[in-house]
Amino acid sequence: MSKPLTLPQSLLLLTLKDETGRPKGVFYKLAIAGAGVSELLLRGLLSLTDDKKPKLVAASGSANEGPFLDFVLTQISAEKKQRNMQYWIAKLSKHKKLVPTLAEELCMLGALTQETSKVLGLITITTWPEASPKLESNLKVQLQKAITGSGEVEDRVSVIIALAKSADVLRHNFDRDILRSNKSRIKEIANGDLLATGATKTAIKAAQAALTGAIAGGAAVAAVI
């Protein structure tokens, strides 16, 4: 049985256009960074301090969680000063290895393929069009079932929906009527109100707050520029 997709892998699949391999939204890198941190929190490789403004702390020892998660964990572990989640989501989102490292994992899984082209014969552009729809299709079925269903929602699905909602990715993947008619349930899922475990709710709340803050900061900078 194959391993389930990681949170960042799921977010990238939801973000990229199938035909062109280009992103559908503006804040996708922030969402991917948030998903990476959230995954490590759920795996116990990162933790949050009890401070009024919680900081991220990496677990001691080396990890072997795959290229992307190891990349995120290495960045955080190498920082001498403890930083909050918003800081890390903003910083990781700007790293040139963020998307390529994650996309290569999905290429290995057969979901994406890598293509390169040149703009004006000078600038090399790399994109990752869909190679097989299987993983993304299964993911969307799972998410739609949660969105249109009732009762509790599986923890990891809740995190994906929460981050996708914060980064405005849901509307690019699901019918408008489905999202409109289930607006209140999506909000409950994104708030962590339909979870069975409190630990995951803490991770969702922290990730959402950090992602929202990072997006607001990025939008403010863009407005000034």
Side-chain angles (χ1 to χ4, degrees):
M1 184 177 179
S2 59
K3 291 182 179 180
L5 291 170
T6 65
L7 299 178
Q9 287 171 351
S10 298
L11 262 295
L12 184 57
L13 285 180
L14 293 173
T15 296
L16 296 179
K17 295 178 182 178
D18 296 341
E19 298 81 8
T20 65
R22 294 179 180 274
K24 300 170 185 174
V26 177
F27 302 110
Y28 71 102
K29 290 183 179 180
L30 290 167
I32 289 168
V37 172
S38 298
E39 181 76 47
L40 291 168
L41 280 169
L42 295 182
R43 295 189 183 198
L45 295 168
L46 288 177
S47 60
L48 290 165
T49 64
D50 294 328
D51 303 336
K52 187 175 181 180
K53 294 183 178 180
K55 307 295 193 302
L56 279 175
V57 180
S60 59
S62 59
N64 185 19
E65 305 297 315
F68 181 80
L69 292 177
D70 284 353
F71 154 73
V72 173
L73 193 58
T74 297
Q75 297 297 308
I76 296 174
S77 299
E79 180 75 30
K80 293 181 179 180
K81 183 178 179 180
Q82 291 182 352
R83 306 282 188 175
N84 63 28
M85 203 164 172
Q86 182 176 330
Y87 170 89
W88 279 114
I89 288 177
K91 183 172 182 176
L92 289 167
S93 71
K94 299 172 185 176
H95 202 292
K96 63 180 182 180
K97 290 186 177 180
L98 182 83
V99 174
T101 302
L102 185 57
E104 286 170 13
E105 288 186 352
L106 288 165
C107 287
M108 293 294 291
L109 293 174
L112 302 178
T113 185
Q114 180 178 309
E115 293 183 357
T116 57
S117 59
K118 285 188 178 293
V119 178
L120 302 176
L122 298 172
I123 304 172
T124 300
I125 302 296
T126 302
T127 56
W128 292 274
E130 184 178 76
S132 169
K134 184 178 179 180
L135 289 178
E136 186 177 1
S137 296
N138 290 342
L139 172 63
K140 287 182 178 180
V141 168
Q142 191 178 20
L143 296 182
Q144 184 163 321
K145 184 178 179 180
I147 289 170
T148 60
S150 60
E152 294 178 347
V153 177
E154 195 271 324
D155 291 12
R156 299 176 65 78
V157 172
S158 294
V159 179
I160 295 170
I161 291 174
L163 293 175
K165 180 178 182 294
S166 294
D168 197 26
V169 172
L170 289 178
R171 68 185 178 91
H172 295 294
N173 291 277
F174 298 99
D175 185 85
R176 182 182 299 175
D177 290 337
I178 290 177
L179 297 179
R180 183 184 295 124
S181 60
N182 293 280
K183 186 177 180 180
S184 60
R185 179 167 170 83
I186 292 171
K187 184 177 179 180
E188 286 185 296
I189 295 172
N191 288 340
D193 296 336
L194 301 179
L195 290 168
T197 57
T200 303
K201 184 170 183 176
T202 300
I204 287 179
K205 288 289 187 182
Q208 265 199 315
L211 183 56
T212 301
I215 287 174
V221 171
V224 172
I225 294 174

